[in-house]
Amino acid sequence: MELHFKKPSKETRDAMCEAAKSIDYASNRGFDEIRLAQDKISKTTGHEYVKILNSGNSAILAVMNSFKNKIMVPDQGGWTGFRNMAEFRGIEVIKVPTDLGIINPETLEDTINEHKPEALFITSFAGYIAEQPVKELFEVCDDKGVILVEDASGGIGDKEKNLGNGEHAHVIVASTGSPKIVNVGSGGFISTNNNELFKKSKVLLKTLKANPVTCAGISEEIKNAPQILSKTGEACNILKKEFKSAVHPDKRGISIALKTDDPKKTGYLLRQELKADGRGIVTVCPRYERVLIDAVCLEIKNLDVQCLENDTLKEIVRIVKGIID
Ligand SMILES: Cc1ncc(COP(=O)(O)O)c(C=O)c1O
């Protein structure tokens, strides 16, 4: 069995090469490439305003810049950048209690009532392993005057329109670095209908802006997002059914977490067997960005979707069962 690490499509790499050769920095400084990518992102998220930056964390920092006092994050299954950027700006971080990363709308309401925060930062999938009820969380936030910021690095292009959908997120941020759903190798973006947010962070947005070559890559690679997301999700669904130890077995995800008593040893053994072009696809938990219990994660999202065929999935199951069950 050969596993391959995800890489940008040939068309995306060609588009980036072409942009690198043809952009006339003297006359229009890559504005056409930037504008085209902004339009494509806007069509995908449904938000009116888009800024493209040099990374996902830059996007989070620029958004964080519009808050002053207090924000919320999930107590597990979030992204460390939320906390880091809040700390950098001197903003207090409140942890919302979760069920292994999933936020219950009623718990969210109670937390908002108690702490009066300005925003909630979540990822589309808690720890990449289970879908957040984004629409329900948005309704609570919107009702309470709290800004919902969805990091859709793993949820862009959702055919079911639950994730990365501007109708139920005030702000969407995403990384387009490797190995994300829009996998360009670098970059990130912010989308919103609230232009005020951008006005507050003008200096940061200018300082952290993306290279037009990255923008040319995003315009091409974003076309593949719906297919990549659905194929990765389907593969996780097939795999989860095989393991009683799967965390959140009934929720959509793009990585799978399996409970185990000795995650370090299990992780070590799995890493010997499961490699994609020499790179590991196993994460050992407890870990804030995944789940805070003893578990190992198989990062299916890191794999080239071409390898997610039935025979390969069967072989992955055979290998993992030999180690875990
Ligand atoms: C959910 C999520 N958000 C943001 C980032 C940060 O993205 P970048 O590496 O482009 O700064 C990552 C990186 O792994 C991530 O997984």
Side-chain angles (χ1 to χ4, degrees):
M1 174 186 70
E2 269 195 54
L3 295 178
H4 294 293
F5 204 80
K6 188 186 261 174
K7 59 182 182 205
S9 67
K10 182 176 180 311
E11 290 74 17
T12 297
R13 283 177 282 147
D14 286 349
M16 292 172 83
C17 288
E18 191 49 46
K21 283 191 280 184
S22 66
I23 289 169
D24 180 353
Y25 286 95
S27 64
N28 79 357
R29 290 177 282 164
F31 284 156
D32 293 345
E33 283 73 14
I34 297 169
R35 211 165 293 128
L36 180 64
Q38 284 174 341
D39 285 351
K40 299 231 162 158
I41 294 166
S42 175
K43 284 210 176 75
T44 304
T45 65
H47 277 146
E48 196 177 345
Y49 304 105
V50 174
K51 292 283 179 202
I52 306 176
L53 301 180
N54 57 15
S55 76
N57 279 332
S58 293
I60 293 166
L61 176 61
V63 172
M64 197 65 76
N65 191 49
S66 57
F67 304 118
K68 290 192 182 75
N69 301 314
K70 219 184 265 185
I71 60 122
M72 294 177 293
V73 300
D75 68 0
Q76 55 189 295
W79 170 242
T80 37
F82 302 158
R83 275 190 319 198
N84 295 344
M85 299 307 163
E87 269 170 31
F88 179 71
R89 295 232 40 255
I91 291 172
E92 188 183 345
V93 176
I94 305 294
K95 286 186 184 164
V96 186
T98 65
D99 169 16
L100 299 178
I102 301 295
I103 301 178
N104 176 313
E106 283 171 22
T107 313
L108 175 64
E109 190 165 354
D110 293 345
T111 313
I112 293 175
N113 289 341
E114 188 183 342
H115 295 280
K116 312 268 181 294
E118 298 160 85
L120 167 67
F121 283 72
I122 56 168
T123 50
S124 309
F125 294 101
Y128 286 114
I129 61 179
E131 177 174 10
Q132 288 284 8
V134 181
K135 186 163 185 280
E136 286 85 340
L137 301 182
F138 173 74
E139 278 160 10
V140 174
C141 286
D142 201 46
D143 206 41
K144 296 275 172 188
V146 169
I147 304 290
L148 176 75
V149 183
E150 179 187 352
D151 180 332
S153 303
I156 289 295
D158 181 15
K159 289 180 186 168
E160 295 188 19
K161 304 275 176 223
N162 294 343
L163 308 172
N165 180 347
E167 276 178 31
H168 40 253
H170 297 103
V171 182
I172 291 173
V173 294
S175 165
T176 56
S178 171
K180 303 296 185 300
I181 292 296
V182 182
N183 184 33
V184 177
S186 73
F189 65 80
I190 309 171
S191 81
T192 184
N193 285 335
N194 178 3
N195 204 16
E196 284 305 305
L197 189 123
F198 291 152
K199 287 187 187 150
K200 282 186 192 166
S201 294
K202 239 179 162 173
V203 175
L204 273 179
L205 293 171
K206 211 170 170 190
T207 310
L208 304 172
K209 69 176 187 284
N211 185 307
V213 173
T214 302
C215 295
I218 292 175
S219 295
E220 194 59 43
E221 190 67 19
I222 204 166
K223 295 177 193 162
N224 305 326
Q227 177 70 357
I228 289 176
L229 182 57
S230 64
K231 271 206 96 176
T232 310
E234 279 161 25
C236 285
N237 220 358
I238 292 170
L239 292 171
K240 272 188 191 183
K241 287 199 178 94
E242 296 286 338
F243 299 100
K244 284 198 202 78
S245 55
V247 179
H248 292 307
D250 303 324
K251 293 202 188 317
R252 285 199 301 166
I254 54 172
S255 288
I256 70 167
L258 303 173
K259 293 179 210 157
T260 170
D261 292 336
D262 192 346
K264 272 194 187 156
K265 184 172 166 210
T266 312
Y268 172 80
L269 294 172
L270 285 172
R271 280 191 182 130
Q272 306 305 305
E273 300 279 340
L274 295 175
K275 281 215 166 67
D277 297 324
R279 292 182 64 177
I281 58 156
V282 178
T283 308
V284 172
C285 300
R287 193 179 171 95
Y288 176 77
E289 302 92 358
R290 296 292 181 275
V291 65
L292 289 178
I293 56 171
D294 287 340
V296 287
C297 285
L298 305 181
E299 306 291 355
I300 305 304
K301 69 178 178 60
N302 294 3
L303 296 175
D304 184 335
V305 289
Q306 306 288 339
C307 351
L308 301 179
E309 299 306 332
N310 275 341
D311 288 351
T312 312
L313 296 179
K314 273 188 196 149
E315 184 61 7
I316 293 177
V317 169
R318 191 190 62 75
I319 290 170
V320 178
K321 281 195 170 168
I323 292 169
I324 281 196
D325 275 4

